[in-house]
Amino acid sequence: MEVHLDLLRQLVQTPSFSREEGATAMLLFDFLSARGWLPQRHLHNIWVASPHNRAGQPTLLLNSHHDTVKPVSGWQRDPFGASLEGTHLYGLGSNDAGASLVGLLAAFEHLAQAPQPYNLIWAGTAEEEISGANGIASLLPLLPPIDLAIVGEPTQMQLAIAEKGLMVLDCYAHGQAGHAARQEGVNAIYKALPDIQWFANYRFEQVSPVLGEVRMTVSQVQAGTQHNVVPDRCHWVVDVRTTECYSNEALLAEIKAQVSCEVVPRSLRLQSSGIALTHPVVQRGLALGKTTYGSPTLSDQALMPFPSLKIGIGDSARSHTADEYIVLSELESGIADYIALLDQLVFPPHIL
């Protein structure tokens, strides 16, 4: 574990904000090269394949990201210090998702020492924190077809078998400007209020047994230019967290049918994702004593059009917080768990 802990510390010490991951990409590439692997690079994405891969087998992708958010206020330590304090390693990206990234890499190095009943690829990707176009979405067309992905995000090494998707809506109510003193015009704010209330109260009929309800939250409202002018436009933003019960396209159609405002989605590509309870990787995880749950947080799973399981080292509650940390024992046990979960795993194509 020591060599991978050293790699994690180097990653933490190297700033890698989304779209600025060049230095950590080179760090990962050089690490793999120095250990005798044959890594490849596309933009800031690094990947490596097992030398034992062969035609006719399903392909397993081990994936996590090496970009981070920017540090929030309140840090009591250097976010890039990678300070070891007893059993804890502190630093930006240590928990989200550096520990999972290097944990999956350690598992890859172990699993790739011998033939597996699947082809194995590890990928450290960019722009996850912004769901950017130059991250996993740009890499997947360069890889062989993937039959299963393990997505490394902090889940306390429990099995996140489903994940909510995301659709962000820009909504507009249109009125007519006028002088407030003379009660002229048509107030766009007043036109917006019934629709804003609808977003607050509406419940979609289908409820996911794992992820629960589709959630809609009005998170921003903008209107008006000054106090004495009746606003002719009101713009608000709705954060929609989706489930496997509806595609983003279906939800958008239902929303448009219910409200009178103009509704413009920013993207429809971040769909809900998940994996069947009957999949052998889930069954093996359950046999190892793991529990299943539905994750409310978004990851690169949303961009994967194939079965995927989110499982990783650390705690999601620490992500994007001041003094983010990982416990060293979590890294050690997480690597062992990844290996136990995946070594000689057989997943017949017909149940994918």
Side-chain angles (χ1 to χ4, degrees):
M1 187 189 82
E2 290 302 321
V3 66
H4 295 95
L5 176 59
D6 289 343
L7 174 62
L8 177 56
R9 295 190 71 189
Q10 291 177 63
L11 289 167
V12 170
Q13 291 165 346
T14 308
S16 56
F17 305 136
S18 301
R19 298 196 180 100
E20 302 174 17
E21 310 98 338
T24 48
M26 184 59 69
L27 183 62
L28 291 167
F29 188 95
D30 290 346
F31 177 87
L32 286 162
S33 298
R35 292 172 66 79
W37 302 103
L38 298 174
Q40 299 184 66
R41 177 170 180 169
H42 172 65
L43 302 173
H44 296 328
N45 306 293
I46 307 297
W47 76 100
V48 62
S50 167
H52 298 290
N53 290 356
R54 56 188 183 271
Q57 296 194 134
T59 298
L60 171 62
L61 172 65
L62 309 181
N63 172 240
S64 190
H65 63 95
H66 59 100
D67 65 315
T68 73
V69 297
K70 294 186 177 180
V72 297
S73 61
W75 275 82
Q76 301 300 307
R77 299 167 175 83
D78 178 1
F80 307 107
S83 59
L84 274 173
E85 301 179 22
T87 60
H88 290 46
L89 169 64
Y90 290 89
L92 183 67
S94 57
N95 179 76
D96 185 15
S100 296
L101 180 77
V102 301
L104 284 171
L105 180 51
F108 168 87
E109 293 196 277
H110 178 90
L111 296 169
Q113 291 175 9
Q116 296 286 341
Y118 50 79
N119 294 333
L120 182 62
I121 299 172
W122 174 90
T125 48
E127 297 192 7
E128 187 274 344
E129 295 291 0
I130 58 171
S131 300
N134 292 325
I136 189 68
S138 72
L139 178 60
L140 287 177
L142 305 180
L143 302 179
I146 305 299
D147 297 288
L148 171 66
I150 302 298
V151 179
E153 291 282 338
T155 69
Q156 297 179 297
M157 291 304 291
Q158 301 307 313
L159 310 173
I161 59 170
E163 176 185 273
K164 282 194 171 182
L166 171 65
M167 183 169 58
V168 179
L169 305 177
D170 287 291
C171 300
Y172 303 90
H174 300 281
Q176 181 178 345
H179 198 300
R182 293 193 294 269
Q183 295 187 326
E184 295 174 339
V186 177
N187 195 316
I189 294 176
Y190 297 160
K191 289 187 69 175
L193 287 175
D195 285 340
I196 291 175
Q197 195 65 45
W198 180 87
F199 280 110
N201 295 331
Y202 189 75
R203 295 294 180 268
F204 292 92
E205 181 179 352
Q206 297 184 55
V207 177
S208 166
V210 178
L211 295 171
E213 294 183 317
V214 173
R215 297 288 186 185
M216 297 189 295
T217 303
V218 177
S219 54
Q220 293 174 279
V221 180
Q222 297 172 325
T225 57
Q226 59 190 64
H227 75 90
N228 57 354
V229 177
V230 172
D232 62 358
R233 191 180 86 150
C234 181
H235 166 224
W236 66 99
V237 177
V238 186
D239 178 293
V240 185
R241 300 290 166 159
T242 65
T243 75
E244 82 283 3
C245 295
Y246 300 90
S247 68
N248 288 353
E249 292 80 0
L251 284 172
L252 179 63
E254 185 165 344
I255 290 168
K256 285 185 172 182
Q258 296 284 341
V259 297
S260 60
C261 61
E262 179 186 0
V263 181
V264 181
R266 295 183 183 178
S267 171
L268 297 176
R269 68 190 188 116
L270 301 176
Q271 302 279 355
S272 177
S273 57
I275 191 169
L277 275 171
T278 55
H279 195 288
V281 74
V282 178
Q283 290 298 304
R284 183 178 284 193
L286 293 172
L288 292 170
K290 304 297 184 184
T291 59
T292 62
Y293 74 103
S295 173
T297 58
L298 193 73
S299 76
D300 275 339
Q301 274 188 297
L303 299 171
M304 295 179 177
F306 41 76
S308 56
L309 174 67
K310 184 162 70 175
I311 176 173
I313 301 166
D315 188 340
S316 180
R318 302 176 203 151
S319 301
H320 306 179
T321 64
D323 294 323
E324 179 184 348
Y325 69 88
I326 196 74
V327 182
L328 301 187
S329 61
E330 293 175 333
L331 180 60
E332 183 174 14
S333 62
I335 293 170
D337 282 353
Y338 277 140
I339 293 170
L341 182 69
L342 301 172
D343 195 18
Q344 300 302 315
L345 178 71
V346 177
F347 44 103
H350 72 275
I351 68 164
L352 298 171

